[in-house]
Amino acid sequence: MNTTPPLVDMVGITKRYGGVLACDAVDLTVRGGEVHALLGENGAGKSTLMKVLSGDVTDHEGRIGVEGEPVRFTGPADAQRAGIAMIHQELDLVPGLSVADNLHLGREPRTRFGVVDRRGMAERTRALLRRTGIELDPARPVGRLRVGEQQLVTIARALALDAKVLIMDEPTSALSNAEVERLFAVIRELRQRGTGIVYISHRMDEIGA
């Protein structure tokens, strides 16, 4: 019998927007190395539920536990500190900043002299991008990338957080077939490392992959 507490345990999560019931007493448990597919039509409440878990939605009913401890997130930073990261369907990159700056925004590594370690950022950026299957100049502005490349940069940024639970909200919407295959390879790699993954989609053909 597995006595290890789950990475995430959501119980009775309910969220209303005015008179609209987006989530109705939803329970979800995610353990290490599990991949959960969250399916449903647009408007079914999939993204809302995961925004509760990622700290983007804070005014909700129900409770959340992380590795057996009750938590109440006041924002995404709280969730990230607890090891939960979300790749949003809507790209939230800063177009005028470089790829490396976007990957490390708010978490820039520094030298022993206290200045930003640009060389270290570039090296880590290349390594993270290679995990997603692309080679990009870390100094290139994100606004000059095509949409599929921007989506992969967003995925690489989530990998940089080394999250225990990674939420992917329609991550293939802007990817080519080859990029989709690489993404699935990343998911398999994360699963082997013990990461819990919640994969939001309305595409039935992706779930068996």
Side-chain angles (χ1 to χ4, degrees):
M1 181 177 178
N2 186 1
T3 58
T4 303
L7 295 178
V8 163
D9 191 22
M10 305 178 77
V11 179
I13 301 299
T14 299
K15 172 60 184 174
R16 294 178 175 85
Y17 292 100
V20 177
L21 183 61
C23 295
D24 185 10
V26 180
D27 298 342
L28 175 66
T29 299
V30 181
R31 296 186 179 275
E34 292 182 344
V35 179
H36 292 261
L38 196 57
L39 302 174
E41 298 178 353
N42 291 335
K46 307 182 301 298
S47 295
T48 297
L49 180 66
M50 289 300 98
K51 286 179 179 178
V52 169
L53 180 57
S54 66
D56 288 288
V57 172
T58 58
D59 54 334
H60 61 84
E61 301 172 41
R63 60 180 176 83
I64 302 173
V66 176
E67 295 185 300
E69 296 295 326
V71 296
R72 186 79 186 192
F73 300 138
T74 61
D78 279 355
Q80 290 175 10
R81 282 190 288 269
I84 299 167
M86 182 169 180
I87 301 170
H88 293 272
Q89 184 177 7
E90 306 84 10
L91 297 175
D92 55 354
L93 302 172
V94 182
L97 295 182
S98 71
V99 173
D101 285 333
N102 270 278
L103 258 63
H104 296 86
L105 191 61
R107 299 173 289 103
E108 295 85 354
R110 298 188 177 274
T111 68
R112 60 191 179 93
F113 300 107
V115 298
V116 174
D117 182 4
R118 293 287 175 184
R119 179 178 295 180
M121 280 178 57
E123 291 176 354
R124 188 159 187 248
T125 296
R126 291 190 184 94
L128 288 166
L129 292 174
R130 278 195 294 270
R131 289 181 64 186
T132 67
I134 57 172
E135 297 282 346
L136 293 173
D137 180 359
R140 189 173 181 183
V142 161
R144 296 183 183 176
L145 303 177
R146 62 182 180 80
V147 176
E149 290 172 330
Q150 292 183 22
Q151 183 74 0
L152 291 170
V153 169
T154 302
I155 293 168
R157 186 177 62 184
L159 296 179
L161 296 172
D162 199 23
K164 300 172 186 174
V165 176
L166 183 58
I167 305 161
M168 298 184 174
D169 189 0
E170 303 280 359
T172 64
S173 57
L175 302 184
S176 67
N177 289 336
E179 290 166 343
V180 170
E181 288 301 318
R182 180 55 196 162
L183 172 63
F184 290 159
V186 171
I187 291 173
R188 289 191 288 270
E189 173 196 341
L190 291 171
R191 181 181 182 182
Q192 291 174 354
R193 293 186 179 192
T195 304
I197 296 173
V198 181
Y199 188 99
I200 304 174
S201 182
H202 66 274
R203 300 179 179 180
M204 292 297 295
D205 59 321
E206 292 181 352
I207 303 309

